[in-house]
Amino acid sequence: MWYTKFGNMGDVVLSTRVRLARNLKDKPFPNRADKSQQEEIIDILKAAAEKIENTKFFDLSNMQEREKKALAERHIISPLLTDNKIKRGLVLSDDQRISVMLMEEDHLRIQTMHEGFAIEECLNSAMEVDDILEESLDYAFSEKLGYLTCCPTNVGTGLRISVMVCLPGITMAGRIDSLSRTLSKMGIAVRGIFGEGSQSLGNIYQISNQVTLGISEEETAQKLSEIVSEIISQERSLQQKIYLSDKFRIEDKVMRSLGTLKYSRVMGSEEALGLISDVRFGINLGIIKETNLEKLNEILYSILPAILSASYNVETVADRDIKRAEVIREKLG
Amino acid sequence: MWYTKFGNMGDVVLSTRVRLARNLKDKPFPNRADKSQQEEIIDILKAAAEKIENTKFFDLSNMQEREKKALAERHIISPLLTDNKIKRGLVLSDDQRISVMLMEEDHLRIQTMHEGFAIEECLNSAMEVDDILEESLDYAFSEKLGYLTCCPTNVGTGLRISVMVCLPGITMAGRIDSLSRTLSKMGIAVRGIFGEGSQSLGNIYQISNQVTLGISEEETAQKLSEIVSEIISQERSLQQKIYLSDKFRIEDKVMRSLGTLKYSRVMGSEEALGLISDVRFGINLGIIKETNLEKLNEILYSILPAILSASYNVETVADRDIKRAEVIREKLG
């Protein structure tokens, strides 16, 4: 699948995601809709989404809990879509690059994803999907404000661009907090791998725009693109600097992490993510040659808790930790 | 060399050492002898020791500091013999199983060594050497007390039997201190790998008799032999018990230690000894099959600080730590 592929600037950027929040005119927001309204809205949205090629519809209430959580861990759906409070749906393309969430916080959350640094590709693809849907749907739109959304922070473009990066260099240099503060002042959020409120694991961060009002989609993309480019070059130069400051210590650190991944028999996901980050670092610096970033991405998206549970039918934390170590060993060869 | 070989009860016992303390009649103890007396005594001892087959004499004042320390790390000579306070000598057999230290604390310290649990072999061999030397030397001997020695704790047989064991099971079970206290009451000492006052490293301990007066050589050997046999069976049963109490955690621990040994690029000796002990544990339990105890013994006796310095011409701690990791990787293959 796309999310394990090595993309543009793949040494730093894991993937790019764009989402557009849209709502139907004259229909209550999902959290205000009663049971019959929920079904009515889903039916309308589902019919419109059928026109997007190579996609399938999924009724989330018929999907296994761990399957849903596994989709959320791959960022294909949001965590909110996994709860069963109301009727929710998903239109997912066969290549899993396009995911239209029905009855999330908004009626529609159009999401497009791409490996590596690919804001333009994602934005274009999202716009196309948006156009297809708009042919048959009547969006809640204000000439003055733009698209109307359930949460005021999304009003306007309804656009969130999110770039997932792995920043061992900036993190080891102790600069992540100051970077985060600086970007915050510019309307850019830095979050952990699992979004709002999530802890940073494995030095993985999501860089995303916070402003949707009074700025066009193109400007948003342009601005975020510039900022992420700057972060990439900072990260690369810090990785080199850290390495050169103590070559043996860094070689030791990344090789030990590789050894631990290859030899452990029990491993939690937090530890695994940290070790994967170290090995990424080692590959980027040319220290580690026996594996590659594509393989590491594959491991990353195989060993998260719900993904593991769903793929290998392991339920308890203890069994998962054993299976995780086994999967890592097998995939590292 | 013998010290890397896998011997009797080699899963627990690394090696056995016997030493006999002897002094010449009518000559001052080494620490009381003046320069010319030191030379005179050495000459007498050297001449007598020439009759021991396949041995060479070494004048310790002509030996490089690190060579001497490397011999001490292999327990072929005592740390005291490495200081330059007085003239000291060594008669060493080609197979390094027999080492006669001249002008240590006593005029003569006859030492014989064997891989594994081999008290009888060592004692017989030491007695033979003793007999050869006694043909030409006049020992300080009292009918009432036995052999007279510099330190009163050695008077009598002058015998110390020392069995070097690796006890991860007893250590992990938290029983080493109580074992040590119990044995102490029975006149048996439990010391770290480098003898008196040395810290225990890598769960390696030396079990040795403390009493030399009023007990024969054979009784001493018999008693220590029984005690060590009991320790061996305790250690084996605790290893099994610990393993069965949490198989995955133990497998994880020993495999990670193997991974760290195989992948690290910088390693101190203390860490290395701990990891080697874990891997020994893993081999004993049948978890680790890709290496063996003989190879681990070889590693153990390659990576101690002075041995490394002497073998690879590395002087600083930093360079040694890098070379140590390299040697371990190479030897583990």
Side-chain angles (χ1 to χ4, degrees):
Chain A
M1 281 293 162
W2 67 266
Y3 43 80
T4 69
K5 288 193 179 138
F6 179 84
N8 182 31
M9 311 280 179
D11 58 325
V12 178
V13 182
L14 294 169
S15 61
T16 306
R17 218 153 25 102
V18 155
R19 72 104 163 106
L20 298 170
R22 298 288 185 260
N23 287 281
L24 299 180
K25 204 169 157 184
D26 304 327
K27 298 286 175 202
F29 284 130
N31 59 359
R32 308 293 285 284
D34 64 27
K35 207 97 197 148
S36 74
Q37 288 171 320
Q38 291 169 23
E39 293 194 4
E40 185 203 342
I41 298 168
I42 288 251
D43 286 344
I44 297 170
L45 299 172
K46 188 183 159 185
E50 270 169 10
K51 290 171 192 153
I52 314 165
E53 282 180 6
N54 302 317
T55 59
K56 278 189 198 66
F57 170 80
F58 300 90
D59 179 347
L60 284 242
S61 45
N62 290 336
M63 197 184 276
Q64 271 198 308
E65 207 57 35
R66 63 191 192 185
E67 291 290 344
K68 284 193 270 191
K69 284 189 176 150
L71 285 172
E73 282 178 351
R74 291 186 173 107
H75 294 91
I76 288 166
I77 64 174
S78 64
L80 182 63
L81 211 72
T82 68
D83 83 15
N84 295 317
K85 285 184 189 154
I86 65 165
K87 202 169 167 58
R88 306 187 194 272
L90 168 68
V91 173
L92 183 63
S93 69
D94 299 337
D95 63 4
Q96 300 193 1
R97 289 182 184 274
I98 297 169
S99 144
V100 184
M101 291 179 260
L102 312 183
M103 303 294 279
E104 208 252 18
E105 189 180 281
D106 297 296
H107 293 147
L108 281 170
R109 287 272 172 113
I110 301 164
Q111 195 175 253
T112 55
M113 295 154 280
H114 203 285
E115 67 273 15
F117 189 32
I119 292 178
E120 210 182 317
E121 288 88 335
C122 288
L123 191 56
N124 290 342
S125 168
M127 296 294 206
E128 272 172 39
V129 174
D130 191 38
D131 288 344
I132 295 170
L133 291 171
E134 207 168 6
E135 280 169 26
S136 33
L137 299 175
D138 205 0
Y139 283 159
F141 184 83
S142 141
E143 283 300 330
K144 197 177 153 211
L145 297 171
Y147 294 98
L148 301 176
T149 57
C150 178
C151 177
T153 58
N154 292 314
V155 168
T157 54
L159 169 68
R160 161 120 356 128
I161 306 173
S162 184
V163 182
M164 185 129 66
V165 289
C166 186
L167 305 177
I170 292 174
T171 307
M172 284 171 78
R175 297 203 192 166
I176 202 76
D177 287 342
S178 70
L179 175 73
S180 186
R181 279 195 301 275
T182 308
L183 292 183
S184 172
K185 286 175 199 152
M186 304 165 74
I188 305 288
V190 178
R191 298 194 183 92
I193 179 173
F194 294 120
E196 282 179 89
S198 83
Q199 202 192 346
S200 153
L201 294 171
N203 302 320
I204 297 174
Y205 301 91
Q206 299 189 69
I207 316 284
S208 61
N209 67 299
Q210 292 298 89
V211 183
T212 53
L213 200 60
I215 182 168
S216 73
E217 286 83 355
E218 291 70 24
E219 284 166 331
T220 305
Q222 178 63 26
K223 188 175 159 190
L224 196 73
S225 191
E226 281 166 11
I227 285 166
V228 173
S229 298
E230 174 56 28
I231 291 172
I232 293 169
S233 69
Q234 259 191 47
E235 173 62 23
R236 284 175 178 164
S237 101
L238 278 169
Q239 286 187 7
Q240 287 298 329
K241 201 174 151 191
I242 289 166
Y243 182 34
L244 295 177
S245 74
D246 196 346
K247 287 186 91 164
F248 283 107
R249 194 180 62 83
I250 294 297
E251 286 175 14
D252 186 53
K253 180 182 168 68
V254 304
M255 291 307 290
R256 279 172 184 247
S257 295
L258 178 60
T260 303
L261 285 173
K262 291 186 81 162
Y263 279 83
S264 70
R265 291 293 182 270
V266 183
M267 187 173 283
S269 54
E270 189 169 336
E271 183 188 11
L273 264 59
L275 296 171
I276 289 171
S277 169
D278 289 345
V279 175
R280 283 185 67 90
F281 190 27
I283 292 170
N284 286 345
L285 294 170
I287 301 166
I288 294 174
K289 294 189 175 72
E290 67 176 88
T291 188
N292 58 54
L293 294 182
E294 197 139 327
K295 207 171 268 183
L296 284 185
N297 290 347
E298 198 189 315
I299 292 170
L300 176 66
Y301 285 109
S302 304
I303 56 145
L304 296 170
I307 294 174
L308 258 190
S309 289
S311 309
Y312 299 98
N313 197 26
V314 281
E315 285 299 342
T316 68
V317 172
D319 286 347
R320 270 209 304 261
D321 286 355
I322 291 166
K323 179 54 79 175
R324 180 176 294 113
E326 188 187 319
V327 169
I328 292 171
R329 285 201 310 281
E330 272 170 16
K331 292 198 186 280
L332 277 176
Chain B
M1 279 296 163
W2 67 268
Y3 44 81
T4 69
K5 287 192 181 138
F6 179 84
N8 181 32
M9 311 280 178
D11 58 326
V12 178
V13 182
L14 295 169
S15 60
T16 305
R17 221 155 21 105
V18 155
R19 71 105 162 104
L20 297 170
R22 298 289 184 259
N23 288 280
L24 299 181
K25 203 170 155 181
D26 304 327
K27 299 286 175 202
F29 286 129
N31 60 359
R32 308 294 281 289
D34 64 26
K35 208 97 198 144
S36 73
Q37 288 170 319
Q38 292 168 23
E39 294 193 6
E40 184 203 342
I41 299 168
I42 288 251
D43 286 343
I44 297 170
L45 300 172
K46 188 181 160 186
E50 270 170 11
K51 290 170 193 155
I52 314 165
E53 282 180 4
N54 301 317
T55 59
K56 277 189 197 70
F57 170 80
F58 299 89
D59 179 345
L60 284 245
S61 46
N62 289 337
M63 197 185 276
Q64 270 198 311
E65 206 55 38
R66 62 189 192 188
E67 292 290 346
K68 283 194 270 190
K69 285 189 174 152
L71 285 173
E73 282 178 349
R74 291 187 174 108
H75 294 89
I76 289 166
I77 63 173
S78 64
L80 182 63
L81 211 74
T82 67
D83 83 12
N84 295 317
K85 284 184 189 153
I86 64 165
K87 201 168 169 60
R88 305 189 195 270
L90 168 68
V91 173
L92 183 63
S93 71
D94 298 339
D95 62 5
Q96 300 195 1
R97 288 181 185 274
I98 297 168
S99 143
V100 183
M101 292 179 260
L102 312 183
M103 304 295 277
E104 208 251 19
E105 189 179 281
D106 297 297
H107 292 148
L108 280 170
R109 287 273 173 114
I110 300 165
Q111 195 175 252
T112 56
M113 295 155 280
H114 202 285
E115 65 275 15
F117 189 32
I119 292 179
E120 209 182 317
E121 289 88 335
C122 289
L123 191 57
N124 290 343
S125 169
M127 298 294 205
E128 273 173 39
V129 173
D130 191 38
D131 288 345
I132 296 171
L133 291 171
E134 208 169 6
E135 281 170 26
S136 32
L137 299 175
D138 205 1
Y139 284 160
F141 184 82
S142 139
E143 283 300 329
K144 196 176 154 213
L145 296 171
Y147 294 99
L148 300 176
T149 56
C150 178
C151 177
T153 58
N154 293 315
V155 168
T157 55
L159 168 68
R160 162 124 347 132
I161 306 174
S162 184
V163 182
M164 184 128 65
V165 288
C166 186
L167 305 176
I170 293 174
T171 308
M172 284 170 79
R175 298 203 192 163
I176 201 77
D177 287 342
S178 70
L179 176 74
S180 186
R181 279 194 302 272
T182 307
L183 292 183
S184 172
K185 287 174 199 152
M186 303 166 73
I188 305 288
V190 179
R191 299 196 183 91
I193 179 172
F194 293 121
E196 282 178 273
S198 84
Q199 204 192 343
S200 153
L201 294 171
N203 302 320
I204 297 175
Y205 302 91
Q206 299 188 70
I207 317 285
S208 60
N209 68 299
Q210 292 297 92
V211 183
T212 52
L213 201 59
I215 182 169
S216 73
E217 286 83 354
E218 291 71 22
E219 283 166 331
T220 305
Q222 178 64 24
K223 187 176 160 190
L224 196 73
S225 191
E226 280 165 16
I227 285 167
V228 172
S229 297
E230 174 56 30
I231 292 172
I232 293 169
S233 68
Q234 258 191 48
E235 172 62 22
R236 284 175 179 165
S237 103
L238 279 169
Q239 286 187 6
Q240 286 299 328
K241 200 173 153 191
I242 289 167
Y243 182 34
L244 294 176
S245 75
D246 196 347
K247 286 187 89 163
F248 283 108
R249 193 179 61 83
I250 294 297
E251 286 175 13
D252 186 53
K253 181 181 167 68
V254 303
M255 291 307 291
R256 280 173 184 245
S257 294
L258 178 61
T260 302
L261 284 173
K262 289 185 82 162
Y263 279 83
S264 71
R265 291 295 182 269
V266 183
M267 188 173 284
S269 53
E270 190 170 337
E271 183 189 11
L273 264 58
L275 296 171
I276 289 170
S277 169
D278 289 345
V279 174
R280 283 185 68 90
F281 190 26
I283 292 170
N284 286 345
L285 295 169
I287 302 166
I288 295 174
K289 294 190 176 68
E290 66 175 89
T291 187
N292 57 53
L293 294 181
E294 197 139 326
K295 208 172 265 179
L296 284 185
N297 289 347
E298 195 188 317
I299 291 170
L300 176 66
Y301 285 109
S302 303
I303 57 146
L304 296 170
I307 294 175
L308 259 188
S309 289
S311 309
Y312 299 98
N313 197 25
V314 281
E315 285 299 342
T316 68
V317 172
D319 286 346
R320 270 208 304 258
D321 286 355
I322 291 165
K323 179 54 79 176
R324 179 176 295 113
E326 189 186 317
V327 169
I328 292 170
R329 286 201 310 281
E330 273 170 16
K331 292 198 186 278
L332 277 176

